[in-house]
Amino acid sequence: MFTFFSPRNDRAAHVPMLAARVSERIAALPRDEPVDTLIRLSGLLSDVRSWSPQPDDEAIGALALIDPAVRSAYRAVSRRHVAGDRTPGSQPPANVQGVVQECLLHLAQTHQWLALPWTDGRPPAPASHTKAGPILARGVRACTAVLKWAYLHQSPVPTGSWADTCRLLLAAEALGYSRTPVIVDADSPWHTSVEREFLKACMLAVSGPERMAPAQLDAAERALEFCADALVLVAHEDSRLRFVIDLDDGEAPRMADGRFTEMSRSLGMNCYDVRLDDLIRQVAAGRMRASAFGSVLDQPLLLRTLLQMRARWTAHHH
Protein backbone atom coordinates (compact mmCIF):
# COMPACT_ATOMS: atom_id res chain seq x y z
CA MET A 1 0.00 0.00 0.00
CA PHE A 2 1.38 3.38 -0.96
CA THR A 3 0.78 6.66 0.84
CA PHE A 4 -0.03 9.61 -1.39
CA PHE A 5 0.40 13.04 0.13
CA SER A 6 -2.79 14.96 -0.54
CA PRO A 7 -4.26 17.60 1.76
CA ARG A 8 -7.97 16.81 1.91
CA ASN A 9 -8.90 19.66 4.23
CA ASP A 10 -9.18 22.11 1.34
CA ARG A 11 -11.70 20.44 -0.90
CA ALA A 12 -13.57 23.10 -2.84
CA ALA A 13 -16.29 22.96 -5.43
CA HIS A 14 -14.03 24.95 -7.68
CA VAL A 15 -10.75 26.79 -7.28
CA PRO A 16 -10.54 29.90 -9.48
CA MET A 17 -6.76 29.95 -9.23
CA LEU A 18 -6.29 26.26 -9.86
CA ALA A 19 -3.14 26.71 -11.95
CA ALA A 20 -1.58 28.87 -9.23
CA ARG A 21 -2.35 26.27 -6.58
CA VAL A 22 -0.88 23.51 -8.73
CA SER A 23 2.22 25.58 -9.47
CA GLU A 24 2.76 26.10 -5.76
CA ARG A 25 2.56 22.38 -5.08
CA ILE A 26 4.91 21.57 -7.94
CA ALA A 27 7.45 24.13 -6.69
CA ALA A 28 7.50 22.32 -3.33
CA LEU A 29 8.26 18.89 -4.81
CA PRO A 30 11.40 17.05 -3.64
CA ARG A 31 14.22 17.54 -6.13
CA ASP A 32 16.55 14.68 -5.32
CA GLU A 33 14.30 11.62 -5.28
CA PRO A 34 12.01 11.10 -8.31
CA VAL A 35 10.07 8.28 -6.69
CA ASP A 36 8.99 10.58 -3.85
CA THR A 37 8.15 13.19 -6.48
CA LEU A 38 5.84 10.72 -8.24
CA ILE A 39 4.11 9.86 -4.96
CA ARG A 40 3.32 13.52 -4.38
CA LEU A 41 2.28 14.09 -7.99
CA SER A 42 -0.11 11.17 -7.78
CA GLY A 43 -1.76 12.87 -4.84
CA LEU A 44 -1.85 16.17 -6.71
CA LEU A 45 -3.60 14.51 -9.65
CA SER A 46 -6.27 13.24 -7.27
CA ASP A 47 -6.63 16.73 -5.81
CA VAL A 48 -7.15 18.35 -9.20
CA ARG A 49 -10.10 16.01 -9.74
CA SER A 50 -11.57 17.03 -6.36
CA TRP A 51 -10.88 20.75 -6.78
CA SER A 52 -12.40 20.99 -10.25
CA PRO A 53 -15.95 19.69 -10.64
CA GLN A 54 -15.60 19.15 -14.37
CA PRO A 55 -12.92 19.00 -17.09
CA ASP A 56 -12.93 22.71 -17.87
CA ASP A 57 -10.26 25.15 -19.05
CA GLU A 58 -8.87 25.52 -15.52
CA ALA A 59 -8.40 21.77 -15.22
CA ILE A 60 -6.82 21.62 -18.68
CA GLY A 61 -4.32 24.29 -17.67
CA ALA A 62 -3.55 22.56 -14.37
CA LEU A 63 -2.86 19.21 -16.01
CA ALA A 64 -0.64 20.91 -18.59
CA LEU A 65 1.58 21.83 -15.61
CA ILE A 66 1.48 18.41 -13.95
CA ASP A 67 2.06 16.34 -17.09
CA PRO A 68 5.68 17.47 -17.70
CA ALA A 69 6.50 17.12 -13.99
CA VAL A 70 5.30 13.51 -14.02
CA ARG A 71 7.13 12.76 -17.24
CA SER A 72 10.39 14.25 -15.95
CA ALA A 73 10.32 12.21 -12.73
CA TYR A 74 9.23 9.09 -14.62
CA ARG A 75 12.12 9.45 -17.07
CA ALA A 76 14.55 9.73 -14.17
CA VAL A 77 13.22 6.52 -12.58
CA SER A 78 13.09 4.63 -15.88
CA ARG A 79 16.68 5.67 -16.71
CA ARG A 80 17.78 4.18 -13.41
CA HIS A 81 15.94 0.97 -14.16
CA VAL A 82 17.33 0.72 -17.70
CA ALA A 83 20.86 1.31 -16.39
CA GLY A 84 20.43 -1.34 -13.71
CA ASP A 85 20.95 1.25 -10.95
CA ARG A 86 19.74 -0.29 -7.69
CA THR A 87 20.88 2.59 -5.46
CA PRO A 88 18.74 2.56 -2.30
CA GLY A 89 16.18 5.35 -2.20
CA SER A 90 13.46 6.42 0.17
CA GLN A 91 11.20 3.63 -1.06
CA PRO A 92 12.05 -0.10 -0.83
CA PRO A 93 13.01 -1.40 -4.30
CA ALA A 94 10.02 -3.76 -4.23
CA ASN A 95 7.68 -0.75 -3.97
CA VAL A 96 9.14 1.36 -6.76
CA GLN A 97 7.44 -0.47 -9.62
CA GLY A 98 4.02 -0.07 -8.02
CA VAL A 99 4.58 3.57 -7.05
CA VAL A 100 5.52 4.53 -10.61
CA GLN A 101 2.69 2.52 -12.16
CA GLU A 102 0.18 4.13 -9.78
CA CYS A 103 1.23 7.64 -10.76
CA LEU A 104 1.30 6.88 -14.48
CA LEU A 105 -2.17 5.37 -14.22
CA HIS A 106 -3.42 8.46 -12.36
CA LEU A 107 -1.98 10.64 -15.11
CA ALA A 108 -3.56 8.57 -17.90
CA GLN A 109 -6.92 8.47 -16.08
CA THR A 110 -6.87 12.24 -15.57
CA HIS A 111 -6.19 12.76 -19.27
CA GLN A 112 -9.14 10.45 -19.98
CA TRP A 113 -11.26 12.60 -17.69
CA LEU A 114 -10.23 15.76 -19.56
CA ALA A 115 -11.17 14.03 -22.81
CA LEU A 116 -14.69 13.16 -21.63
CA PRO A 117 -16.35 15.97 -23.62
CA TRP A 118 -15.19 14.21 -26.79
CA THR A 119 -15.40 10.55 -25.71
CA ASP A 120 -18.65 10.21 -23.76
CA GLY A 121 -20.93 10.25 -26.81
CA ARG A 122 -22.18 13.78 -26.22
CA PRO A 123 -19.74 15.98 -28.14
CA PRO A 124 -19.60 19.65 -27.13
CA ALA A 125 -20.15 22.58 -29.44
CA PRO A 126 -17.88 22.60 -32.51
CA ALA A 127 -16.21 25.79 -31.27
CA SER A 128 -14.52 23.78 -28.52
CA HIS A 129 -13.15 21.09 -30.81
CA THR A 130 -9.87 22.91 -31.42
CA LYS A 131 -8.94 22.11 -27.80
CA ALA A 132 -9.35 18.39 -28.40
CA GLY A 133 -6.17 17.64 -30.39
CA PRO A 134 -3.57 18.36 -27.68
CA ILE A 135 -5.75 16.82 -24.96
CA LEU A 136 -6.27 13.58 -26.89
CA ALA A 137 -2.60 13.38 -27.96
CA ARG A 138 -1.38 13.87 -24.39
CA GLY A 139 -3.83 11.20 -23.31
CA VAL A 140 -2.48 8.66 -25.78
CA ARG A 141 1.08 9.55 -24.77
CA ALA A 142 0.21 9.00 -21.10
CA CYS A 143 -1.30 5.60 -21.91
CA THR A 144 1.90 4.69 -23.78
CA ALA A 145 3.96 5.46 -20.67
CA VAL A 146 1.80 2.97 -18.73
CA LEU A 147 2.42 0.36 -21.43
CA LYS A 148 6.17 0.93 -21.54
CA TRP A 149 6.56 0.73 -17.77
CA ALA A 150 4.79 -2.64 -17.83
CA TYR A 151 6.99 -3.86 -20.70
CA LEU A 152 10.15 -2.73 -18.88
CA HIS A 153 9.22 -5.04 -16.02
CA GLN A 154 7.86 -7.89 -18.14
CA SER A 155 4.58 -7.50 -16.26
CA PRO A 156 0.97 -7.58 -17.49
CA VAL A 157 -0.37 -4.40 -19.06
CA PRO A 158 -2.96 -2.86 -16.67
CA THR A 159 -6.50 -3.79 -17.59
CA GLY A 160 -8.21 -1.20 -19.78
CA SER A 161 -5.04 0.48 -21.04
CA TRP A 162 -5.60 -0.47 -24.67
CA ALA A 163 -9.33 0.26 -24.49
CA ASP A 164 -8.54 3.76 -23.20
CA THR A 165 -5.95 4.35 -25.92
CA CYS A 166 -8.34 3.23 -28.65
CA ARG A 167 -11.13 5.41 -27.26
CA LEU A 168 -8.94 8.49 -27.59
CA LEU A 169 -8.04 7.66 -31.19
CA LEU A 170 -11.71 7.07 -32.08
CA ALA A 171 -12.62 10.46 -30.66
CA ALA A 172 -9.89 12.14 -32.71
CA GLU A 173 -11.05 10.32 -35.86
CA ALA A 174 -14.66 11.35 -35.25
CA LEU A 175 -13.58 14.99 -35.01
CA GLY A 176 -11.37 14.70 -38.08
CA TYR A 177 -8.35 15.69 -35.95
CA SER A 178 -6.45 12.40 -35.70
CA ARG A 179 -3.69 13.62 -38.05
CA THR A 180 -3.79 17.32 -37.17
CA PRO A 181 -0.35 18.53 -35.98
CA VAL A 182 -0.48 19.63 -32.35
CA ILE A 183 2.00 20.82 -29.73
CA VAL A 184 1.78 18.79 -26.53
CA ASP A 185 4.59 20.45 -24.56
CA ALA A 186 4.28 24.18 -23.94
CA ASP A 187 8.06 24.67 -23.79
CA SER A 188 8.77 22.83 -27.05
CA PRO A 189 7.85 23.65 -30.67
CA TRP A 190 7.84 19.93 -31.48
CA HIS A 191 4.64 18.76 -33.20
CA THR A 192 2.93 15.41 -33.04
CA SER A 193 -0.62 14.12 -33.63
CA VAL A 194 -3.03 11.74 -31.97
CA GLU A 195 -2.45 9.17 -34.71
CA ARG A 196 1.33 9.46 -34.45
CA GLU A 197 1.23 8.86 -30.69
CA PHE A 198 -1.18 5.95 -31.17
CA LEU A 199 1.06 4.33 -33.78
CA LYS A 200 4.13 4.63 -31.54
CA ALA A 201 2.24 2.79 -28.79
CA CYS A 202 1.13 0.07 -31.20
CA MET A 203 4.55 -0.44 -32.77
CA LEU A 204 6.27 -0.61 -29.39
CA ALA A 205 3.82 -3.37 -28.46
CA VAL A 206 4.56 -5.40 -31.60
CA SER A 207 8.34 -4.93 -31.45
CA GLY A 208 8.74 -8.00 -29.24
CA PRO A 209 9.10 -6.27 -25.83
CA GLU A 210 8.69 -9.63 -24.10
CA ARG A 211 12.06 -10.66 -25.57
CA MET A 212 13.90 -7.39 -24.93
CA ALA A 213 16.08 -6.32 -22.05
CA PRO A 214 15.10 -2.91 -20.61
CA ALA A 215 17.93 -1.15 -22.48
CA GLN A 216 16.77 -2.70 -25.76
CA LEU A 217 13.17 -1.60 -25.17
CA ASP A 218 14.36 1.92 -24.43
CA ALA A 219 16.38 1.93 -27.66
CA ALA A 220 13.36 0.61 -29.58
CA GLU A 221 11.28 3.55 -28.36
CA ARG A 222 13.95 6.01 -29.52
CA ALA A 223 14.16 4.31 -32.91
CA LEU A 224 10.37 4.52 -33.18
CA GLU A 225 10.56 8.27 -32.77
CA PHE A 226 13.09 8.40 -35.60
CA CYS A 227 10.81 6.29 -37.83
CA ALA A 228 7.44 7.67 -36.71
CA ASP A 229 6.70 9.46 -39.99
CA ALA A 230 7.03 6.13 -41.81
CA LEU A 231 4.26 4.48 -39.77
CA VAL A 232 0.84 4.02 -41.37
CA LEU A 233 -2.68 3.57 -40.00
CA VAL A 234 -5.59 2.96 -42.38
CA ALA A 235 -9.25 2.03 -41.99
CA HIS A 236 -9.16 -0.74 -44.60
CA GLU A 237 -7.43 -4.08 -44.91
CA ASP A 238 -3.98 -3.44 -46.40
CA SER A 239 -1.82 -6.43 -47.27
CA ARG A 240 1.30 -4.25 -47.19
CA LEU A 241 0.91 -3.72 -43.43
CA ARG A 242 1.69 -6.48 -40.96
CA PHE A 243 -0.63 -5.63 -38.09
CA VAL A 244 -4.26 -5.00 -37.23
CA ILE A 245 -5.93 -3.49 -34.17
CA ASP A 246 -9.64 -3.65 -33.42
CA LEU A 247 -10.65 -0.42 -31.74
CA ASP A 248 -13.69 -1.85 -29.97
CA ASP A 249 -12.19 -4.92 -28.28
CA GLY A 250 -9.64 -3.24 -26.02
CA GLU A 251 -6.81 -5.56 -27.03
CA ALA A 252 -3.26 -4.94 -28.24
CA PRO A 253 -2.54 -4.97 -31.99
CA ARG A 254 -2.03 -8.38 -33.56
CA MET A 255 -0.55 -9.85 -36.71
CA ALA A 256 -2.91 -9.48 -39.67
CA ASP A 257 -4.89 -12.71 -39.90
CA GLY A 258 -7.82 -11.98 -42.22
CA ARG A 259 -10.19 -10.83 -39.47
CA PHE A 260 -11.22 -7.27 -40.27
CA THR A 261 -14.30 -5.24 -39.32
CA GLU A 262 -15.39 -1.63 -39.65
CA MET A 263 -13.69 -0.99 -36.29
CA SER A 264 -10.39 -2.52 -37.43
CA ARG A 265 -7.34 -0.57 -38.54
CA SER A 266 -4.35 -1.86 -40.48
CA LEU A 267 -1.06 -0.52 -39.22
CA GLY A 268 2.66 -0.92 -39.65
CA MET A 269 5.73 0.41 -41.39
CA ASN A 270 5.35 1.88 -44.87
CA CYS A 271 7.12 -0.79 -46.90
CA TYR A 272 8.48 1.81 -49.33
CA ASP A 273 10.08 3.94 -46.63
CA VAL A 274 13.81 3.33 -46.13
CA ARG A 275 14.54 5.34 -42.99
CA LEU A 276 14.76 2.27 -40.72
CA ASP A 277 17.15 0.62 -43.19
CA ASP A 278 19.17 3.84 -43.31
CA LEU A 279 19.32 3.90 -39.53
CA ILE A 280 20.55 0.31 -39.44
CA ARG A 281 23.22 1.07 -42.05
CA GLN A 282 24.42 4.10 -40.08
CA VAL A 283 24.73 2.06 -36.90
CA ALA A 284 26.43 -0.85 -38.68
CA ALA A 285 28.96 1.50 -40.27
CA GLY A 286 29.67 3.26 -36.98
CA ARG A 287 28.32 6.59 -38.21
CA MET A 288 25.76 6.65 -35.39
CA ARG A 289 26.94 5.84 -31.89
CA ALA A 290 25.04 3.51 -29.60
CA SER A 291 25.05 6.29 -26.99
CA ALA A 292 22.38 8.04 -29.07
CA PHE A 293 20.03 5.26 -27.95
CA GLY A 294 20.95 5.25 -24.27
CA SER A 295 23.97 4.79 -22.06
CA VAL A 296 23.77 1.01 -21.67
CA LEU A 297 23.73 -0.55 -25.15
CA ASP A 298 26.92 -1.32 -27.02
CA GLN A 299 27.04 -1.19 -30.82
CA PRO A 300 26.46 -4.94 -31.47
CA LEU A 301 23.45 -5.11 -29.12
CA LEU A 302 21.94 -1.96 -30.60
CA LEU A 303 22.34 -3.34 -34.12
CA ARG A 304 20.78 -6.63 -33.06
CA THR A 305 17.85 -4.74 -31.52
CA LEU A 306 17.23 -2.71 -34.68
CA LEU A 307 17.41 -5.81 -36.86
CA GLN A 308 14.92 -7.54 -34.57
CA MET A 309 12.57 -4.60 -34.94
CA ARG A 310 12.87 -4.66 -38.73
CA ALA A 311 12.19 -8.40 -38.78
CA ARG A 312 9.07 -7.89 -36.68
CA TRP A 313 7.79 -4.93 -38.66
CA THR A 314 8.69 -5.61 -42.28
CA ALA A 315 10.07 -9.15 -42.67
CA HIS A 316 7.65 -10.04 -45.48
CA HIS A 317 8.97 -7.12 -47.55
CA HIS A 318 12.69 -7.90 -47.28
Side-chain angles (χ1 to χ4, degrees):
M1 183 66 66
F2 310 114
T3 302
F4 296 100
F5 299 90
S6 176
R8 299 298 178 186
N9 60 344
D10 55 357
R11 292 175 64 92
H14 187 62
V15 179
M17 297 300 290
L18 185 57
R21 176 174 262 184
V22 167
S23 295
E24 182 180 352
R25 289 276 291 275
I26 290 176
L29 291 171
R31 301 299 178 188
D32 55 352
E33 181 44 62
V35 178
D36 287 347
T37 298
L38 290 171
I39 289 174
R40 293 177 181 271
L41 286 168
S42 193
L44 181 55
L45 285 163
S46 297
D47 281 342
V48 167
R49 295 283 296 273
S50 68
W51 293 338
S52 185
Q54 58 188 355
D56 56 14
D57 287 348
E58 291 251 22
I60 291 170
L63 192 56
L65 297 173
I66 300 173
D67 184 277
V70 172
R71 292 182 62 78
S72 177
Y74 161 65
R75 282 194 296 267
V77 177
S78 63
R79 279 195 297 266
R80 288 183 184 178
H81 180 74
V82 168
D85 182 357
R86 301 297 180 261
T87 303
S90 61
Q91 291 289 324
N95 283 6
V96 171
Q97 180 182 352
V99 166
V100 177
Q101 177 175 282
E102 188 82 13
C103 187
L104 293 177
L105 282 170
H106 277 182
L107 180 65
Q109 289 161 0
T110 307
H111 279 298
Q112 292 281 337
W113 172 67
L114 284 187
L116 278 176
W118 300 280
T119 59
D120 68 354
R122 295 172 297 163
S128 71
H129 290 348
T130 54
K131 304 175 185 177
I135 292 170
L136 297 171
R138 288 192 194 104
V140 174
R141 189 175 66 170
C143 290
T144 304
V146 173
L147 298 174
K148 184 186 176 184
W149 186 246
Y151 296 150
L152 282 171
H153 290 82
Q154 302 286 311
S155 60
V157 171
T159 303
S161 294
W162 279 109
D164 289 343
T165 308
C166 291
R167 188 178 303 114
L168 293 168
L169 176 73
L170 280 170
E173 288 185 344
L175 294 170
Y177 286 175
S178 61
R179 297 177 180 173
T180 302
V182 296
I183 293 177
V184 292
D185 293 313
D187 296 329
S188 171
W190 175 74
H191 285 77
T192 185
S193 69
V194 179
E195 184 175 294
R196 180 189 178 101
E197 295 301 316
F198 181 82
L199 278 166
K200 288 192 293 184
C202 289
M203 296 305 287
L204 189 65
V206 300
S207 295
E210 69 282 356
R211 296 194 298 276
M212 289 183 177
Q216 290 179 286
L217 183 65
D218 196 50
E221 186 180 46
R222 299 183 194 217
L224 265 172
E225 191 60 60
F226 180 86
C227 298
D229 289 339
L231 303 179
V232 180
L233 181 77
V234 294
H236 59 268
E237 196 166 8
D238 192 327
S239 61
R240 298 170 301 171
L241 303 175
R242 296 202 76 184
F243 306 101
V244 169
I245 188 167
D246 291 318
L247 300 181
D248 62 349
D249 67 5
E251 300 294 334
R254 66 178 191 275
M255 293 285 291
D257 56 7
R259 291 179 291 154
F260 205 88
T261 70
E262 64 179 66
M263 298 299 289
S264 298
R265 302 292 183 271
S266 292
L267 63 99
M269 175 76 75
N270 180 350
C271 61
Y272 300 112
D273 196 287
V274 297
R275 72 191 69 198
L276 179 58
D277 291 326
D278 286 345
L279 181 61
I280 290 171
R281 281 194 289 270
Q282 290 182 52
V283 171
R287 294 194 298 272
M288 180 170 286
R289 296 178 182 274
S291 59
F293 293 83
S295 60
V296 176
L297 291 182
D298 57 22
Q299 212 79 359
L301 184 55
L302 172 59
L303 184 59
R304 189 156 70 248
T305 302
L306 294 174
L307 289 171
Q308 175 181 321
M309 291 168 62
R310 184 176 69 176
R312 292 280 296 188
W313 296 353
T314 61
H316 64 319
H317 299 309
H318 289 270

